[in-house]
Amino acid sequence: MTDAVPDPFHDHDHSSCAAVVLRRAEEQTRAEGVRLTPVRRRTLEILLESHRAMGAYEVLEKLAADGYGKQPPVAYRALEFLVEQGFAHRIQRLNAYAACLSPERNHAPVFLICRSCEQVAEADASALRGALQDLAARSEFTPERITVELLGLCARCSAEAAA
């Protein structure tokens, strides 16, 4: 799939952005024979409503409002599925989840987290990933997960802070 999704720190057609990710999820689950159940799909839609990371309980509140139940496992199972399938990322710094905006399933983005508006953007980090893997190899270390999160201010919040 070649649809590129713009980063959330810049103006873009958000409905188109969300549609690209949902279409990718539908195509991938169908091709792989896994189910994008209504609760899983709604969970992804909730994560796509804004480009910020959301905690599991915040997702659960929205699911409950839509009639999907109020038990935490409802949200956690759906979020776990989305992360396993590459449709969402767990943002460690925020103890939260964000929709994956990349058309690439197996990638290692850097997460740019605005500490003011809490939007999260993915940036391609293939060069950084390669450098980290080289560093690990020189140390005879086998990485199982590489997660890089940058905390700062997006351009909008920087401009507001400067005003």
Side-chain angles (χ1 to χ4, degrees):
M1 185 168 197
T2 59
D3 292 322
V5 180
D7 77 77
F9 296 136
H10 298 90
D11 291 333
H12 66 283
D13 179 354
H14 185 69
S15 61
S16 175
C17 170
V20 166
V21 174
L22 285 169
R23 185 173 62 246
R24 177 176 64 93
E26 290 167 352
E27 291 171 359
Q28 181 179 313
T29 54
R30 191 171 29 254
E32 295 181 3
V34 294
R35 294 189 56 222
L36 186 62
T37 63
V39 71
R40 291 170 175 172
R41 180 185 171 84
R42 181 63 189 128
T43 301
L44 182 55
E45 290 170 347
I46 289 167
L47 292 177
L48 288 166
E49 287 173 357
S50 66
H51 287 297
R52 64 181 189 80
M54 299 177 74
Y57 280 92
E58 188 177 358
V59 171
L60 179 61
E61 286 176 21
K62 291 181 178 257
L63 287 171
D66 291 341
Y68 288 104
K70 296 180 181 181
Q71 297 302 314
V74 170
Y76 281 109
R77 286 182 189 133
L79 289 164
E80 182 179 306
F81 171 84
L82 296 175
V83 169
E84 286 174 359
Q85 297 302 313
F87 306 133
H89 297 288
R90 185 159 189 279
I91 308 299
Q92 302 294 328
R93 167 81 167 91
L94 302 174
N95 192 24
Y97 299 83
C100 177
L101 303 179
S102 173
E104 301 297 324
R105 181 172 184 178
N106 295 316
H107 67 288
V110 166
F111 298 103
L112 308 173
I113 305 166
C114 180
R115 66 175 167 76
S116 180
C117 68
E118 296 186 342
Q119 285 191 322
V120 176
E122 290 181 49
D124 177 49
S126 53
L128 179 58
R129 182 181 186 168
L132 291 172
Q133 288 173 326
D134 289 347
L135 174 69
R138 286 193 308 271
S139 300
E140 298 179 357
F141 181 81
T142 304
E144 295 175 349
R145 179 182 61 204
I146 297 173
T147 304
V148 179
E149 300 175 0
L150 299 177
L151 183 65
L153 292 172
C154 68
R156 261 180 258 143
C157 292
S158 289
E160 289 174 11

